[in-house]
Amino acid sequence: MKAEIIAVGSEMLTPFRQDSNSLYLTEKLNEIGVTVAFKTIVGDRKKDIAGAIKTALGRADIVALMGGLGPTEDDLTREAAAAALAIGLRRDASQVAALHARAATWRITMPENNLKQADILDGAAILPNPNGSAPGQWIDTTYSGYRKLIFLIPGPPNECCAMFDAECMPRLRAALPVRYIAKRTLKAAMIPESQADKLAAPIYTTFTDVETTILAKTGDIQLTLLCTKTSLEEAQRRVDELANKLEEVLEEWLYSSEGESLEQTVLDYLGFRNATLAVAESCTGGMIAQRITAVSGSSRSFLGGAVVYSNEMKTLLAGVDHELIERHGAVSQEVARALAEGIRQRTGSTIGVGVTGIAGPTGGTETKPIGLVYIAVSDAQKTDCLERNFRGARDRIREWATTQALDLIRRRLM
């Protein structure tokens, strides 16, 4: 069973507003075995909205329309749906009365244009909206010989999500055959997407009943496995079977088989080892500490850190010898090692991490280009340092360095 979600609103085609409702609807639809195959954002033009609806009806069983149900001239979802389905609109007397009653509670005279919110598609069931003035609408119809379930719900999140839960989900459960979706998320660090797929594809392509997607982001690979069956146990069994095989080939790159973040995994390892961590960050400017402290309970293992951006702070807070910086430069393997060892000794942590590099866009030289980063990890036995040359803009280089540092800590604790 496929669904398409259409978000209506020209504001979501600007850089200033995002569609967040579809994420909630997708999660809920997945719970009842419905796959969201398409998501569309369309501006407030009747012709465009009607075209999007027709396209959706041609490729999806369920069409969810969000937004465009208000009282203004550019709220055109009702009219566009009527045009796409070649049906009429009627002004519902009970909804007109409800609109007047709502205005009375605010002790205001209702503007005439509010009445368009009482226009109901022929054959549609009215979905009450206790959180706003615009009712939703539900249509169970036939289009080109196929059954289609269509619902129109308001755009404001507090109205959209509440109406979907209270009115749409019960109708969907009643109309659809019982299906269940099982899901697993595997995560791997610092493996190229192409290499991850080279290892995983020969396995996941043999599981034709499990949908596998791969998402890559700055040093992090996420494999999401979805399987739909008539029983949750069977769906979960197939997902787990594939996950187990993928875990074997991803080996040391894999850090989570249940969707945990890399920083959560690091904290778990620190807890298992009864170890503590401190960081001295230069080019990452506290990003390692930020990611770790974003996890609740991190204070049990994370002692703290220092942003040692200037040479003076490297000496003052991490005890790096000024002559060492003069001799090798602030961005060097030697300084990274000294940062890791110094912050470990200063804080008494089990593990110390030092990061120094050139994030750009200025500061690079022929021998030390933009993207050069040194990351050192130190414990009582040894100090290791990794040299990396990351590509991209400043923020991207800093994100790569942060993820690499967290992964080095994980590997040290494995």
Side-chain angles (χ1 to χ4, degrees), residues 182 184 186 199-213 223-229 234-249:
R184 283 279 296 275
L186 278 61
L199 294 170
I203 299 171
Y204 71 70
T205 52
T206 65
F207 283 72
T208 55
D209 57 341
V210 181
E211 180 182 353
T212 302
T213 59
L223 294 92
T224 301
L225 316 179
L226 293 171
C227 182
T228 304
K229 296 288 184 183
E234 176 61 15
Q236 194 65 58
R237 185 188 68 79
R238 289 292 288 164
V239 164
D240 291 343
E241 185 180 347
L242 175 54
N244 292 338
K245 292 180 180 293
L246 292 175
E247 287 175 6
E248 292 177 6
V249 297

Side-chain angles (χ1 to χ4, degrees), residues 1 14 22 106 166 285 292 396:
M1 188 66 67
T14 72
S22 67
W106 291 90
I292 291 174
R396 185 172 174 83

Side-chain angles (χ1 to χ4, degrees), residues 60-306:
D61 308 293
I62 300 167
V63 179
L65 287 150
M66 307 182 303
L69 299 182
T72 64
E73 287 295 321
D74 62 353
D75 287 314
L76 298 168
T77 299
R78 288 174 293 260
E79 294 83 349
L85 293 167
I87 59 177
L89 281 168
R90 58 181 175 82
R91 184 148 295 178
D92 185 85
S94 66
Q95 290 304 306
V96 171
L99 289 169
H100 281 292
R102 180 181 174 84
T105 62
W106 291 90
R107 297 183 179 181
I108 61 173
T109 301
M110 186 183 72
E112 190 70 18
N113 61 350
N114 266 31
L115 290 174
K116 70 180 293 187
Q117 295 178 106
D119 291 343
I120 305 300
L121 293 158
D122 289 341
I126 297 172
L127 307 180
N129 182 7
N131 300 304
S133 59
Q137 303 188 40
W138 170 276
I139 306 174
D140 186 339
T141 188
T142 300
Y143 184 86
S144 297
Y146 295 94
R147 186 188 186 190
K148 304 291 178 179
L149 302 176
I150 308 160
F151 53 89
L152 289 63
I153 53 180
N158 67 310
E159 300 178 40
C160 175
C161 298
M163 184 181 291
F164 180 75
D165 284 344
E167 302 296 334
C168 299
M169 281 293 281
R171 288 174 167 83
L172 288 168
R173 290 183 189 276
L176 302 179
V178 177
R179 303 285 286 176
Y180 297 92
I181 292 182
K183 178 181 178 181
R184 283 279 296 275
T185 300
L186 278 61
K187 294 184 178 182
M190 304 311 296
I191 178 175
E193 183 180 13
S194 58
Q195 186 175 355
D197 194 54
K198 182 180 179 180
L199 294 170
I203 299 171
Y204 71 70
T205 52
T206 65
F207 283 72
T208 55
D209 57 341
V210 181
E211 180 182 353
T212 302
T213 59
I214 299 180
L215 176 65
K217 180 185 177 183
T218 51
D220 199 80
I221 296 290
Q222 179 174 304
L223 294 92
T224 301
L225 316 179
L226 293 171
C227 182
T228 304
K229 296 288 184 183
T230 55
S231 78
L232 183 58
E233 292 76 15
E234 176 61 15
Q236 194 65 58
R237 185 188 68 79
R238 289 292 288 164
V239 164
D240 291 343
E241 185 180 347
L242 175 54
N244 292 338
K245 292 180 180 293
L246 292 175
E247 287 175 6
E248 292 177 6
V249 297
L250 290 171
E251 297 180 314
E252 74 271 11
W253 288 293
L254 184 78
Y255 67 81
S256 170
S257 59
E258 295 292 345
E260 299 93 344
S261 67
L262 182 54
E263 46 269 32
Q264 178 67 69
T265 301
V266 166
L267 287 165
D268 288 344
Y269 273 119
L270 287 166
F272 296 154
R273 301 283 186 267
N274 196 27
T276 54
L277 172 69
V279 296
E281 304 181 59
S282 181
C283 65
T284 50
M287 292 172 68
I288 301 171
Q290 189 278 328
R291 283 181 60 174
I292 291 174
T293 56
V295 179
S296 177
S298 56
S299 60
R300 288 191 291 269
S301 301
F302 184 64
L303 300 186

Side-chain angles (χ1 to χ4, degrees), residues 17-88:
R17 188 71 63 87
Q18 288 183 316
D19 160 38
S20 57
N21 291 334
S22 67
L23 301 177
Y24 183 82
L25 265 63
T26 299
E27 180 182 3
K28 293 297 182 179
L29 288 167
N30 285 172
E31 289 178 3
I32 57 173
V34 175
T35 299
V36 176
F38 307 96
K39 291 184 181 181
T40 300
I41 297 176
V42 61
D44 296 310
R45 292 172 294 277
K46 179 180 173 181
K47 182 179 178 181
D48 293 344
I49 302 168
I53 294 171
K54 288 181 179 180
T55 298
L57 290 170
R59 63 189 184 184
D61 308 293
I62 300 167
V63 179
L65 287 150
M66 307 182 303
L69 299 182
T72 64
E73 287 295 321
D74 62 353
D75 287 314
L76 298 168
T77 299
R78 288 174 293 260
E79 294 83 349
L85 293 167
I87 59 177

Side-chain angles (χ1 to χ4, degrees), residues 346-388:
R346 290 283 176 98
T347 62
S349 64
T350 310
I351 293 177
V353 174
V355 183
T356 182
I358 304 169
T362 60
T365 66
E366 187 173 338
T367 57
K368 294 184 177 181
I370 292 170
L372 175 65
V373 177
Y374 293 98
I375 304 167
V377 178
S378 175
D379 60 22
Q381 285 71 47
K382 62 177 181 176
T383 300
D384 294 323
C385 185
L386 178 68
E387 176 184 324
R388 292 298 305 267

